[in-house]
Each structure stands twice: as structure tokens, then as C-alpha cells.
Amino acid sequence: MKRLDVIGNVSRDVTRYPDHRGGTRLGGAALLVALAAAKAGRPVAPVCVLGSDLDHLPQASGLNQIDWSAHSKADGPSARFELEYDRQGELVAVRPDYGVADRLTTHALAHVDKHPSGQYHVCCRRPLDTAAVLDRLVHSGADFSMDFFLPSAEAMIRASAPWLTKATTVFVNAAEYLLLQSIVDTAELREIVVTDGPRGAAVWAFGRQTAAAVPPPHRLPREVSGAGDTLAGTFLAYRLQGATPAHALAEAVAAAARYVMAPSLPIPAQRRA
């Protein structure tokens, strides 16, 4: 079974809500997509750069279900994001500190050169040079999917527009889907997964809806940051294993629903020498 390599950040995150939910946690799209895909049965590796504060993660208990062989280490702090949400779980502010993640593009390009026939998912978020990475993947003949992050989505969609038709799957939320439709002809894209929080998700293929799913009703979620990454990782794992869009989406929506009600990932303590 071919491994899924996820290009993106692994970070220290701080989430805040008006009712005092949230807190410090382990995050980053590369990690959360990878964990979800691994739980769904897919071999997976985050292609990321870890700073000296997180370079112990490959040895941490609870994270050994993913393959850490594609990561790089660098002196300095890992990426850090402060994410502020309203009570309904809508993102209202982001304060990034990219740290050593500013070396991600160089690391990702070198990794693709070493593994040109791999299966990739690209988390199209700053500070990654999305255009450079997608161009390398296309010229390498690799299969790839991609997602976005609303604060930078318009710039990233425009930067990735020349390669969108080559993607196996594009993940967007409802607001990002509107941006996508304003920039490219979405009827030309192979597969788009559109999420809309508790209102559900749908799959579109070349302009035609092929699947839809709604999560079960639940009380106020504990944490929404990372729900989209969990859905994407789960969906990809099932699709890569031959599942239909409807089956993959149902599993992905269920996984995201479980994620928002579960405790956040703690940052593992560094082991003492």
C-alpha cells in the first residue's frame, strides 16, 4: 500500500473561544491530516520541519502510528499559531509565528525529488511556496490532493490555480468554495470536498454532486480547530483504499464529529536525558 506523504506544518497552537474553551495544544495541518489517515488505515508521513521544541515528537508515545521518516529538524522554535474563534466556532483571528517552518518549501521540494512517484497531500498554507511545490509534483508525475486555510485561501487558490485540474481531490470549506468558484471553473476539477461544519459536507466531481453527509447532532464542541484536517485525512485514506465518495465522506464526517468532542492533543513532554 502506497504511503501518503502530507506536506505542511506541525505546530504549537493556542485556541481561544469567548466562553474560555480552548488552550495550548499540539496542532498543524500536516500532523492532524496524517493522524486521521493513519487511524483510517493508511500508511502516512508528515513532510514537515520540526523545531528544537518539538523534535522529540517522533519518539513520543501516541504518535508512533505515523511514519516520521519524512520530517526534518532545525534549530529554533517550531511554528506557532494563536487561533481565535467565536462561540459558533467561526475563526475570527489568526496570529502566526512560522519559526523554522520557513524552511518547509526547501525541505518539501527535496523530498519530492527523492520520491517523485509518491502520493501527496499538500496543505496550502503559509509559509509554504505552494506554486513551487505543486509545479514540482506535476512535473514529477506524482498524484496529489490539496486543502486551504481560510485566512490565506484567496492568495493560495490564485497561486495554485494553474495546477488545480491536476489534483485528485481539493478540500475547501463553504467560504473557500465561493473563492474557488470565483477564481477557477470548478466544473473542470476532478473532485472537490466542500465542508460546512455541523451543516455537513458534499463531494463534487466535474461540477456534479456525487455525495453528501451530515454529522450527528451534538452539544457544543470542545474544539473545532483541526476538524477539517481530520475530515480530509480520513476521506483520503478511504478513497485511496478504493472506497466510493459516499462511503469515504460518511466515514470522514463521522471522524470529524468525534474529533470536535474529544480532548485536544497535548504537547508531549520532552524526555530527560
Side-chain angles (χ1 to χ4, degrees):
M1 186 183 296
K2 185 179 287 189
R3 188 180 73 183
L4 174 64
D5 288 358
V6 185
I7 299 174
N9 297 319
V10 175
S11 59
R12 289 174 172 268
D13 291 350
V14 179
T15 59
R16 296 189 177 93
Y17 298 81
D19 55 4
H20 307 296
R21 281 176 293 153
T24 302
R25 40 161 279 175
L26 190 61
L31 177 64
L32 297 175
V33 170
L35 283 173
K39 289 178 182 177
R42 192 75 188 180
V44 62
V47 181
C48 62
V49 181
L50 300 178
S52 51
D53 54 335
L54 293 181
D55 63 6
H56 62 294
L57 292 186
Q59 291 78 45
S61 61
L63 298 177
N64 56 0
Q65 66 265 55
I66 58 179
D67 180 350
W68 286 97
S69 64
H71 85 286
S72 175
K73 297 180 182 179
D75 290 333
S78 299
R80 183 178 186 274
F81 297 91
E82 294 185 19
L83 305 158
E84 184 178 345
Y85 293 88
D86 63 19
R87 184 174 174 80
Q88 288 70 43
E90 299 294 333
L91 185 64
V92 296
V94 180
R95 288 174 286 278
D97 182 353
Y98 299 121
V100 299
D102 60 6
R103 307 181 193 187
L104 176 60
T105 300
T106 300
H107 173 57
L109 292 174
H111 181 81
V112 173
D113 287 343
K114 291 180 182 177
H115 306 277
S117 60
Q119 175 75 51
Y120 289 89
H121 178 72
V122 184
C123 305
C124 300
R125 301 148 191 237
R126 297 186 176 112
L128 185 69
D129 185 341
T130 299
V133 171
L134 294 178
D135 185 66
R136 188 69 56 88
L137 288 170
V138 169
H139 282 88
S140 297
D143 290 329
F144 66 92
S145 54
M146 52 202 296
D147 69 39
F148 300 96
F149 182 46
L150 185 56
S152 60
E154 182 172 5
M156 288 292 183
I157 291 171
R158 291 189 184 282
S160 62
W163 301 279
L164 283 168
T165 58
K166 302 295 185 180
T168 57
T169 308
V170 177
F171 295 88
V172 288
N173 66 22
E176 293 160 355
Y177 187 45
L178 293 176
L179 289 171
L180 186 68
Q181 289 177 308
S182 71
I183 295 170
V184 299
D185 182 358
T186 54
E188 295 183 354
L189 304 190
R190 292 190 220 177
E191 186 172 75
I192 310 170
V193 178
V194 185
T195 61
D196 196 11
R199 289 167 290 278
V203 180
W204 295 79
F206 296 112
R208 183 174 64 88
Q209 185 174 322
T210 59
V214 178
H218 52 68
R219 61 187 186 278
L220 191 67
R222 299 176 66 164
E223 180 63 82
V224 300
S225 180
D229 301 323
T230 299
L231 186 147
T234 306
F235 183 89
L236 287 171
Y238 277 92
R239 287 291 277 143
L240 290 170
Q241 288 155 203
T244 64
H247 182 195
L249 188 66
E251 295 287 351
V253 167
R258 292 190 297 270
Y259 171 87
V260 301
M261 301 308 301
S264 296
L265 279 174
I267 298 173
Q270 291 181 312
R271 294 181 179 179
R272 296 181 179 181

